[in-house]
């Protein structure tokens, strides 16, 4: 049947088929037929045939023969013979068990068979040589195959001996046989084979460098499956004998054999002889004992059917505990003090594997704790291979990663081999102490270790901790908090850490300390413990850190403080994300220090704080939406429905408390910081998120005062406040109106829509903002257009340019006012216009004073000119002393300038560009009936008319390009059909020009004035209107021409003046 994996034939279904095969009357062995029942009565002949074929096979290997059919046939015959022996013994043992007896002839037969098997083993190659054949790389494939098959055959021979002994032992002990001599012989044979396997392991242990032992753990002890099966069967035999009381306890046998290696460590490799082989003492006997003992523990995880169970704990044994304690002591004695010992790492890995499978006494773990405790402050112990000046390299970069790492140290889900070969010894020790505490009676174990650990730390010790020792201290307490009473361990840890002053910038490990504190808080959260007591301790410390950050100097301490603040914010966010339901502890974490952070952050720091607040908002919203969207139980489950409602109510109350704390700490900081124009990009999106949050979670918290929601408060304080930067308002409102829920809230109230529209107009006036904010103004314009109130006044297409949209809106309001049927309706539209335009004058004052950039002038003039041109009747009143129109005229068109305070650069150009819009608006106010308006128009003409008409001459240097505003403002008169307002404006203008500029006394300006009149009359197509203008101009023109002929004092050349005059006539 061939030699394959032997355990499969012995333990699994294949053995049943062998029993059937060898239950026939006759059996063929070595090409001869034998009676099945008597074949082994005289076993010498069969064993002689076996030896002959085995010798021929070994000779074939030495002569370099290839694998052939004859060799295969010989191997098969030998294998069949070994299988027959197993089946023969099994059948007779079963017969004995059924008949409850043991005959003398059967006893002699079995004894004879055992003797022949023992003699056969002495003729085989040493087991170490056989095992070495499995490691040889195949050169000539056929030769290697033959060598491999012969090696397996020899292992099969060993296997059959052990398996036969095992079956005999089980059979004899089950029937209570009196064959004590045979049992003693079989027990000694199994013990001898154990020694043989240990010696083989010792040989292989020394063949591999110690640094590679952890990586080749399985291969060293069992380099082939058949060798491992020999180990399994041998341990099963010893365990059975010990359980039946025929030998000392199992662990006494194992420990006794391993102690021999420790005893022979100073006597040489061949100081004594074993039954089958000499003692092979490895160069590192302690390491070998750890390694071999661990493998025995792992092999014991296999049951009698060859199935692996991980872990399969077995009962504790005092002998094993004492031996482990001895090994721990020997291991610690051999560790060097200046380097990370690979020996100790190997030993600790072994110890951990053993602890995972059994319960040991605490003394061994205490020895390890005493060893590692010395490293916390003793400078001679430089255990860590990482840089000691950077303890953050040991603790990972975030609280969540560190917490995950701590959880991994407490995990019991591991492989059976060395899983921690890449970790440092202290981390492996943490895994050991975790497992020891959790193994049995955790409360009792923790009480024992708590005294051993807590008593070691006091104020002096905490101050003396090195950076590496501090990291180890944190890891130790975090691991203990994860597996024991987190409330007790957490308070103790924070109390001890505060002895180093957790709020001092002089503490170089401040970042590490706070990362550990929030890792402990995550442990609290996972354990569903209340955080309130711990949070009450740490929040004042956080406030001190933030206070120190506000007064930081340039000595580098500010960097440390800010890094610490980042860890704190990250820790709070991780804690909120980890919590399934909030308690008063989470709410208490939000103190006034968050507002102080917003007020005092510098540069890019504020972006980190804003991101933290946004993440908190998102977390609270997620919990609130989860509560509202949770499905309700069926109506029949009244008790469950009640329970769910109570749970939801409690969760809502905790969310409400958390939300209240958030608003109370964030709003003061926002009020202090929003006036800083450098923070627009960070604060404006935050305001939008807060507004969204206040409406989505409106049930959680309500503001004080008359505001219905926090969204209304935010709009009032951060969008409608004229003292805030226009860029902030533009970005905030554009983001807010892009949200459906905020836009719906704004559209629910007309007054809010008007205020938002006014804020938009203000942004158009004060365009002194970054390019990104200008883009937000375009988006804001689209948001204004989509408002319900604005759409009802004047539908405007989306993506319309901002100034065009403003002009269309104001024209629509003016039209509604003009067509109002009642006084109340007219008053309504006047108020609507006032709310939208507001007090433009106060935005113009900084412009005139020169405190704003020149780029802002164009926007201010453009918006003001649109307001004056589109709705002059709504911004002017004879009964209001401070109506808007006169102030706009005085500030923008008729500003006062002196030698000491000249007009800012660019103002004259803006006046010329927008003057015609102002004149068009003024002309709508019937200047002939209103003395004030008539006086203002006259002032404008007297101040600008002469200079503008002179610059418009073809032969003069046009320093201000563009059309003459005094020609442009009369554009409505150039149409075929002229309105009465346009006609009156034209006649009023000609009358004014004739009276003040078309006179002989101003002969130097007569030529450009005549040119201006000619340009205007040439554009007019209405002959009646031309005739009416001629009546007003003719007398003054003739007087000027006559004076040109008679007076000798004319400055203007008479010929050009006469020519222009006659041309005009």
């Amino acid at each position: 049947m061939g030699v394959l994996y032997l355990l499969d034939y012995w333990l699994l279904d294949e053995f049943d088929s062998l029993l059937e095969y060898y239950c026939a009357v006759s059996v063929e062995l070595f090409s001869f037929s034998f009676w099945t029942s008597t074949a082994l009565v005289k076993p010498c002949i069969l064993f002689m045939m076996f030896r002959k074929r085995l010798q021929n096979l070994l000779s074939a290997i030495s002569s370099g023969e290839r694998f052939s059919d004859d060799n295969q046939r010989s191997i098969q015959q030998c294998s069949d013979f070994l299988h027959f022996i197993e089946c023969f013994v099994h059948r007779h043992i079963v017969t004995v068990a059924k008949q409850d007896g043991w005959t003398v002839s059967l006893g002699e037969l079995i004894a004879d068979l055992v003797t022949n098997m023992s003699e056969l083993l002495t003729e085989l190659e040493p087991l170490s040589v056989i095992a070495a054949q499995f490691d040889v790389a195949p050169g000539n494939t056929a030769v290697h195959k033959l060598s491999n098959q012969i090696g397996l055959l020899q292992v099969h021979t060993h296997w059959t001996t052990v398996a036969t002994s095992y079956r005999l032992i089980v059979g004899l002990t089950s029937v209570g046989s009196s064959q004590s001599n045979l049992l003693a012989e079989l027990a000694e044979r199994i013990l001898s084979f154990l020694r043989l396997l240990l010696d083989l392991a010792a040989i292989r242990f020394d063949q591999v460098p110690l640094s590679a032992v952890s990586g080749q753990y399985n291969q060293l002890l069992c380099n082939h499956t058949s060798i491992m099966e020999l180990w399994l069967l041998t341990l099963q035999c010893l365990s059975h004998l010990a359980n039946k009381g025929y030998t000392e306890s199992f662990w006494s046998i194992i420990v006794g054999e391993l102690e021999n290696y420790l005893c022979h460590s100073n006597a040489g490799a061949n100081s004594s002889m074993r039954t089958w082989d000499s003692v092979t003492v490895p160069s590192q006997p302690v390491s070998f004992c750890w390694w071999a003992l661990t493998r025995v523990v792992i092999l014991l995880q296999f049951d009698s059917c060859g199935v692996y169970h991980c872990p399969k704990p077995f009962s504790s044994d005092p002998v094993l505990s004492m031996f482990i304690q001895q090994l721990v002591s020997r291991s610690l004695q051999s560790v060097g003090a200046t380097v990370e010992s690979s020996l100790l790492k190997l030993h600790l890995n072994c110890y951990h594997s053993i602890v995972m499978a059994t319960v040991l006494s605490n003394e061994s773990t205490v020895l390890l704790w005493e060893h590692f405790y010395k490293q916390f402050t003793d400078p001679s112990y430089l255990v860590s291979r990482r840089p000691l000046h950077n303890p953050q390299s040991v603790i990972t970069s975030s609280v969540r990663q560190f917490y995950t790492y701590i959880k991994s140290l407490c995990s019991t889900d591991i492989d059976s081999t060395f899983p921690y070969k890449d970790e440092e010894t202290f981390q492996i020790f943490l895994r050991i102490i975790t497992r020891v505490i959790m193994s049995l009676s955790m409360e009792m174990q923790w009480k024992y270790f708590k005294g051993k650990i807590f008593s070691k730390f006091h104020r002096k010790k905490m101050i003396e901790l090195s950076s590496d020792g501090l990291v180890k201290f944190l890891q130790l307490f975090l691991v203990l908090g994860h597996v024991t009473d987190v409330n007790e361990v957490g308070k103790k840890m924070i109390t001890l850490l505060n002895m180093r002053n957790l709020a001092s910038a002089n503490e170089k490990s401040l970042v590490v300390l706070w990362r550990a504190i929030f890792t402990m808080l995550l442990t609290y959260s996972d354990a569903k413990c209340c955080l309130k007591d711990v949070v009450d301790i740490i929040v004042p410390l956080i406030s001190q850190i933030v206070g120190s950050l506000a007064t930081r100097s340039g000595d580098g301490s500010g960097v440390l403080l800010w890094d610490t603040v980042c860890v704190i914010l990250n820790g709070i966010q991780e804690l909120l994300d980890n919590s399934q339901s909030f308690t008063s502890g989470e709410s208490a974490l939000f103190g006034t220090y968050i507002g102080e952070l917003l007020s005092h952050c510098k540069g890019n720091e504020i972006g980190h704080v804003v991101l933290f607040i946004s993440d908190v908002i998102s977390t609270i919203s997620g919990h609130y939406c989860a509560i509202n969207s949770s499905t309700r139980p069926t109506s029949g489950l009244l008790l469950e429905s009640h329970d769910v409602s109570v749970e939801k109510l409690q969760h809502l109350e905790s969310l409400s408390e958390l939300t209240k704390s958030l608003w109370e700490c964030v709003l003061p900081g926002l009020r202090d910081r929003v006036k800083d124009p450098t923070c627009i990009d960070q604060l404006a999106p935050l305001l939008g998120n807060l507004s969204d949050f206040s409406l989505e979670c409106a049930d959680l918290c309500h503001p004080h005062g008359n505001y219905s929601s926090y969204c209304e408060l935010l709009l009032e304080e951060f969008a409608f406040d004229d003292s805030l930067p226009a860029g902030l308002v533009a970005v905030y409102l554009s983001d807010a109106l892009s949200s459906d829920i905020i836009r719906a809230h704004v559209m629910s109230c007309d007054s809010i829509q008007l205020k938002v529209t006014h804020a938009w107009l203000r942004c158009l006036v004060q365009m002194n903002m970054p390019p990104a904010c200008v883009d937000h103004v375009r988006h804001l314009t689209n948001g204004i257009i989509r408002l319900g109130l604005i759409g009802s006044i004047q539908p405007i297409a989306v993506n319309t340019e901002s100034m065009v949209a403003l002009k269309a809106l104001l024209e629509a309001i003016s039209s509604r006012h003009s067509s109002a049927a009642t006084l109340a309706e007219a008053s309504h539209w006047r108020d609507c216009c006032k709310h939208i335009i507001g007090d433009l004058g106060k935005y113009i004052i900084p412009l005139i004073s020169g405190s704003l950039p020149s780029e802002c002038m164009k926007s201010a003039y453009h918006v003001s000119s649109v307001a004056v041109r589109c709705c002059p009747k709504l911004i002017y009143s004879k009964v209001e002393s401070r109506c808007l129109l006169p102030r706009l005229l005085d500030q923008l068109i008729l500003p006062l300038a002196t030698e000491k305070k000249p007009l800012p650069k660019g103002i004259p150009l803006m006046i010329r560009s927008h003057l015609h819009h102002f004149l068009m608006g003024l002309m709508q106010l019937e200047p002939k009936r209103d003395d004030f308006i008539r006086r203002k128009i006259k002032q404008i003409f007297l101040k600008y008319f002469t200079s503008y008409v002179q610059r418009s001459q073809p032969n003069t240097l046009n320093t201000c390009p563009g059309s003459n505003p005094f020609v442009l403002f009369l554009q409505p008169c150039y149409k075929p059909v002229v309105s009465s307002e346009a006609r009156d404006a034209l006649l009023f203008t000609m009358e004014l020009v004739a009276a003040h500029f078309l006179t002989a006394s101003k002969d130097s300006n007569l030529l450009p004035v005549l040119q201006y009149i000619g340009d205007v009359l040439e554009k007019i197509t209405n002959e009646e209107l031309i005739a009416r203008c001629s009546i007003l101009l003719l007398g003054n023109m003739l007087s000027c021409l006559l004076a040109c002929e008679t007076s000798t004092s004319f400055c203007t050349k008479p010929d050009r003046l006469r020519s222009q005059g006659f041309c005009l006539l």
Side-chain angles (χ1 to χ4, degrees), residues 483-501:
V483 298
T484 62
D485 185 354
V486 62
N487 198 27
E488 181 180 16
V489 177
K491 288 182 180 179
K492 183 67 175 180
M493 186 186 82
I494 294 176
T495 302
L496 291 172
L497 289 180
N498 203 26
M499 295 176 181
R500 296 176 63 103
N501 196 346

Side-chain angles (χ1 to χ4, degrees), residues 49 77 111 250 319 447 535 593 728 745 760 877 974 1021 1038:
M49 294 179 181
Q77 290 175 353
F250 174 81
V319 176
K447 187 176 181 181
V535 169
Y593 63 86
L728 173 74
H745 176 75
W760 165 62
S877 174
Y974 306 151
T1021 58
L1038 292 175

Side-chain angles (χ1 to χ4, degrees), residues 254-476:
I254 300 298
V255 169
E257 294 300 321
L258 291 177
E259 282 182 336
N260 288 332
Y261 288 92
L262 296 179
C263 296
H264 285 85
S265 60
N266 298 321
N270 298 309
S271 58
S272 66
M273 299 298 293
R274 290 282 172 82
T275 304
W276 291 353
D277 203 353
S278 60
V279 178
T280 302
V281 180
S283 59
Q284 294 287 344
V286 176
S287 298
F288 172 73
C289 288
W290 274 116
W291 174 72
L293 184 63
T294 304
R295 190 58 196 176
V296 170
V297 170
I298 293 174
L299 290 176
L300 288 176
Q301 307 303 308
F302 290 88
D303 60 17
S304 59
C305 295
V307 178
Y308 180 74
H309 299 273
C310 181
K312 178 192 172 186
F314 49 84
S315 58
S316 176
D317 190 284
V319 176
L320 178 62
S321 295
M322 290 298 296
F323 186 62
I324 293 293
Q325 186 175 349
Q326 179 186 356
L327 287 180
V328 169
S329 180
R330 294 281 293 268
S331 297
L332 296 179
Q333 292 173 8
S334 62
V335 174
T338 58
V339 294
E340 172 76 2
S341 173
S342 58
L343 276 176
L344 184 58
K345 183 181 294 187
L346 171 65
H347 300 172
L348 290 178
N349 268 300
C350 293
Y351 187 22
H352 182 267
S353 298
I354 297 171
V355 168
M356 290 297 294
T358 186
V359 179
L360 301 173
S361 63
N362 294 329
E363 284 73 12
S364 301
T365 308
V366 171
L367 285 175
L368 288 176
W369 163 239
E370 295 291 343
H371 167 77
F372 285 106
Y373 170 72
K374 296 177 183 178
Q375 302 175 5
F376 282 38
T377 54
D378 192 342
S380 63
Y381 283 95
L382 303 180
V383 179
S384 177
R385 290 171 294 178
R386 297 180 175 90
L388 294 183
H389 67 276
N390 184 17
Q392 298 177 46
S393 62
V394 181
I395 299 181
T396 47
S397 59
S398 74
V399 173
R400 170 60 59 181
Q401 290 174 335
F402 188 29
Y403 179 68
T404 302
Y405 173 67
I406 293 298
K407 287 183 67 175
S408 71
L409 290 178
C410 305
S411 174
T412 58
D413 184 16
I414 62 169
D415 296 331
S416 59
T417 56
F418 289 105
Y420 313 118
K421 59 181 181 294
D422 296 329
E423 287 188 350
E424 293 184 358
T425 54
F426 185 73
Q427 280 69 52
I428 305 174
F429 163 72
L430 292 178
R431 296 183 184 276
I432 293 172
I433 195 172
T434 298
R435 182 61 184 174
V436 169
I437 293 175
M438 297 173 62
S439 59
L440 181 65
S441 184
M442 187 172 71
E443 183 177 351
M444 184 184 304
Q445 293 282 61
W446 170 233
K447 187 176 181 181
Y448 176 83
F449 281 101
K450 178 173 65 176
K452 297 288 185 181
I453 295 173
F454 284 4
S455 62
K456 296 290 187 180
F457 297 100
H458 44 79
R459 180 178 295 276
K460 181 180 179 182
K461 188 69 175 181
M462 293 303 299
I463 295 175
E464 292 175 351
L465 286 178
S466 63
S467 57
D468 191 76
L470 179 61
V471 170
K472 288 180 169 57
F473 167 84
L474 296 174
Q475 291 176 339
L476 172 65

Side-chain angles (χ1 to χ4, degrees), residues 12 45 138 145 153 184 218 244 280 337 424 479 521 546 576 688 707 752 771 818 828 876-877 893 904 920 971:
L12 304 179
I45 298 174
K145 184 177 181 181
L153 177 60
N218 280 327
K244 294 296 182 178
T280 302
E424 293 184 358
V479 165
L521 292 183
V546 174
L576 295 180
Y707 299 108
I752 298 180
S818 301
H828 165 74
Y876 173 68
S877 174
I893 303 302
M920 292 174 74
Q971 283 180 347

